[in-house]
Structures are given as C-alpha cells and as structure tokens.
Amino acid sequence: MAEKAYEKAAPVNHMSSEKRTLAHPRRWWILAIVSIGTFLTNLDVSIASIALPTLSAEFHVSITVVQWVMSAYLLTICALLPIAGNLSDLFGKGRLYNFGFLIFTIGSCLSALSFTFIMLIGAKVIQALGGVLVMANTQAIVAVTFEAKERGRALGIAGIAVSLGVLSGPGLGGFLIEHFRWPSIFWVNVPIGLLGFAAGLWIMPKERTNQTKVPFDYFGSVLFMTGMTTLLYTISSTENQGWTSWQTIMGLLGAAVVLGLFYLWEIRTAYPMLDFSLFQIKVFQTSILTAYLSVVAMYCVIILMPFFLQDVLLLSPGTTGYVMVTYPLMMGVTAPLAGWLSDRFGSYFLTSGGLVLIGLGFVALTFLSTENSLWLVAGNIAIFGVGQGMFQPPNNSSLMGSVPSTKVGLAGGLNALTRNIGMVTGISFAVSLFTFRLRDMGGPSNTEELSTVPPELFMSALDTVFWGAALLSAAGAAVSLLRGKPNKSEQHQAEHP
C-alpha cells in the first residue's frame, strides 16, 4: 500500500523537481541560518573529542566511560533521524528546524552547567534531540527553497558547513579548554544558537501544516530506535569486546532480527515511518550508498592521522591542527565550484571522480614516512578535501532531486542518518583494524599506549587501514559508475539552467 501511494505522489525526475520548487526571495538568508545550525550540530560531534581527557579527570571516570559523551550524542541522532525527517514532512521543515535550534541551545547550556557525569550525558542527549531536528531538515529546506539550477551550489555551501563543523572541533576545543576550561566548549553554542533561533523565527519560510491527519507509526519507530541503537552500540563496543566475542555476535544478531521486523512492518503498514520505496529509485540508492562509503573511509583519516602526527612525528596539538585544517580548507574551495558545475553539467562525473581521487589519496598516504616534511603531509591530506568537495555537493543534489516534494524531509533525514552511521562505523573500522594489525605484529592492542609503539609498527598498521579505506573508496566509485551515464533529466537540467 505504501509503495502504491508513493507511485501516485509524483513522477521521479529532475524535471518534476524543477517545477515543484520556486526560488524563495530570502533563500540566501535561509541558507545562512541553515548553515549556522549545520555547523553547530556537526561541530559538537567533534569538539568534545579534545575534551575527553579533561572530562575524565574532572568527573573521575575511565576513558571507556567518558567516551559516552560522544557516543550518547551520536547514538541518539542515528536512532531518531528518520523519525525527525518524517515529522518534518507532517508539521513543517522550518518550524521543526527552529524548534531543534532552541532545544540544541538548551542542551548546550545544561551541558556547560553539568556538575555530575550522569547530568552531562543527559544534557548531551537533550542536545542531540535538538541536533537531530536541525540535521534532518537542513537539506530538505535547501531543496524546497532553491530552484534546481541553484540547488547544487546551495547544497555545496551547506556541505562546507558540515565539513567545517566536524573538522574545526578539535582545534577550537583545544583553544577554549586551555584558556576558558571545559564548559566553554558548550557555552560557545548558546549565544549563536539563540541568535540563530531568533533569526529563524523571522526568516524561515512559514509552511502550512499538513491538514490531513496521518497516523504516526509508533510501533515502527520503536522497532527502528531499538534495532539501530543495538546495532550502533554493538559496533562502537567492538574495540574492547572484539568482533568475534559472544557479546558482539549476539548484539549483531539481535539488531538484525529487530531491524528485519522493522522492514517487514514498514512494507505492510499503510502509513510507514520510513518509505522503503525510496530505495527503488536508482539515483537515491547509489547516492546513499556512496555517501556512506565515503564517510566510513574518510573517518580513517580523521581518527588516525592525529595519532600519526603527534605520536610518530611528535608534533604538538596546535601544529597537528594546522596540518589537518588543509582538509576543510580545500573542501571549502572545491565544494561550491563542484556544486556550480553539477547544476550545469550533471553530477555523474564529479561524484565518480571525487571518489577516485579520495582512493588515490589513501594510496598516497601509504608512502608516508617519518622523514616526510609537513608540507608533503598537509598536501596529501588536502587531496581528501578536493575529493570530498567534488563528491558531496553533486551527490547531495542528485539525492534530493530524485525524490518527490512530499518526501524531501525523509530523504534529507536519511542522508544525514547515513552520514552519522558512517561516522560511528568509520571510527570502529579504523580503530579495530589498526589495533588488530598492531596485535598481529606483536604490538600493544590498547590504544592508550600508542606513544610507546615503535614507528615502523605504527606505520605498518596505519598502512593497513589506509589500504582498507582505499578499497572502500574504490567500491564507492564503482557504485557511482554503475549508475550509468547522465540520464535525460540531468541532461535537461544541464542544457536549461
């Protein structure tokens, strides 16, 4: 029933998406607010990482426990993103985005005021509840605010906000903690969040709520949250428990059963939370899969390169930040250009070429040694910024342009969900493969002892991870290439900008 209803909703092509979207007169102001919210919510994913040692000492908890400052945030977002996307299609994207901005700001304030570790975890969950409403609606707001000829460029700018948020966290967090103590990493969100909320009330488009009372899929939502939380918790615990432990095996089996029941329920219920018929759209399929593979691969760099720079090259955290910043800088330069090109020539060659370049970047990293200059290391990292800048905006534009207007909220939520699941699995993939290789060569498996690992063992384990990430990137490029040449809809968009 859901599939038949979906088929009647709208024809799926770019031509229909051009007709459905009229340019909003304040679209660039709307994009600015969306970019601020996107920056803050993604900044919070990474800024807490630099604070973990400080928080561990402050609250007298172990490293394993203190990691839940990040895990609680990510798991909440992953469990609720599709639900938030579904609600935005029912109650209005701009309205829920503003509400999310306010909740995120309240959560940030409570995080800064936390005097126990349990209170901090609870505050982070509240913060994630707001962040999920922001993330789920970002791309959907851009998709319905901009015409097709400008959509790729707008999504490119929003993509810059994502990249800057994730990658500026450690540097900004280190500066704030050093000069203003750990609560400052949360206080910094409060004035920006309040300003963004106030501006959103005035600028964000006022949408009519859906007058048709559609039952909310409570049972499906519970199944999804249970299955997704179990899956991601199990994956994030593999570093300590191992992939072959009974806890991991039972966790993965339990998650598979619950998510299988969720799928069976969704394809049979009249009003599903997640419309699986979206995955029948070939462009949507390939865009989601390649986005996931690219994020998993990229987190091999984001997680492990700082260890290489500090524990092998013996750089200071500040210098490490300067080297790593080449990634967002190059992405910031490339992404708008790639979005502009995709608006005129289609996304096929840009997405495929970007993934190929990312794969080549990983191959280049396997040639690094302790004798390399910082300029060479920074140049290698910059390759990823160019590759991601080429890939992300065209891929997002293709994904959002492939679905009917009634489903853009859900599509945006699924895209954001894919990114966050990619972060969790990318961290687990990188750390698990790295520690497995170290243990296989006789080195310590405890990541707290990395500074004692001989450089040659460290580099060998690192190369194994980079080759694995290169294979993931190659798989993503293959999936993108299998989509085929630009279709008639993309050709029409290119010929009639």
Side-chain angles (χ1 to χ4, degrees), residues 133-179:
L133 292 177
V134 172
M135 291 182 181
N137 290 288
T138 296
Q139 294 181 14
I141 291 173
V142 173
V144 300
T145 302
F146 286 82
E147 293 180 303
K149 64 182 180 181
E150 294 180 326
R151 188 183 302 126
R153 189 178 3 158
L155 287 170
I157 295 173
I160 296 172
V162 172
S163 178
L164 290 177
V166 171
L167 293 171
S168 61
L172 178 61
F175 173 82
L176 291 174
I177 291 170
E178 181 178 349
H179 295 283

Side-chain angles (χ1 to χ4, degrees), residues 328-374:
L329 283 178
M330 293 309 300
M331 184 172 180
V333 172
T334 309
L337 177 60
W340 179 80
L341 290 172
S342 71
D343 289 336
R344 283 153 178 77
F345 305 108
S347 60
Y348 174 72
F349 294 106
L350 287 166
T351 55
S352 303
L355 290 168
V356 169
L357 187 59
I358 292 171
L360 293 175
F362 280 111
V363 173
L365 287 182
T366 62
F367 292 96
L368 290 180
S369 70
T370 56
E371 306 298 325
N372 294 135
S373 69
L374 292 186

Side-chain angles (χ1 to χ4, degrees), residues 392-435:
Q392 283 190 8
N395 192 64
N396 290 339
S397 182
S398 293
L399 185 148
M400 299 303 294
S402 68
V403 302
S405 58
T406 56
K407 300 296 180 182
V408 291
L410 177 58
L414 286 173
N415 198 20
L417 172 66
T418 300
R419 184 170 61 249
N420 282 274
I421 292 177
M423 293 178 188
V424 176
T425 53
I427 293 170
S428 178
F429 172 79
V431 174
S432 297
L433 184 57
F434 181 79
T435 55

Side-chain angles (χ1 to χ4, degrees), residues 290-330:
T290 53
Y292 172 76
L293 292 172
S294 72
V295 173
V296 173
M298 283 311 306
Y299 260 71
C300 294
V301 172
I302 295 170
I303 293 300
L304 293 180
M305 279 304 291
F307 288 102
F308 167 74
L309 293 171
Q310 294 184 49
D311 293 333
V312 176
L313 298 187
L314 304 179
L315 302 181
S316 68
T319 305
T320 298
Y322 294 139
V323 175
M324 293 296 293
V325 81
T326 56
Y327 176 102
L329 283 178
M330 293 309 300

Side-chain angles (χ1 to χ4, degrees), residues 218-265:
Y218 292 102
F219 184 65
S221 299
V222 171
L223 286 175
F224 179 83
M225 286 188 291
T226 303
M228 186 57 64
T229 302
T230 302
L231 175 64
L232 296 181
Y233 176 81
T234 302
I235 291 175
S236 63
S237 302
T238 54
E239 179 187 348
N240 295 324
Q241 298 175 350
W243 284 98
T244 59
S245 68
W246 70 266
Q247 296 98 325
T248 298
I249 294 173
M250 293 302 296
L252 293 176
L253 286 176
V257 170
V258 176
L259 291 175
L261 290 175
F262 168 72
Y263 171 76
L264 293 175
W265 171 263

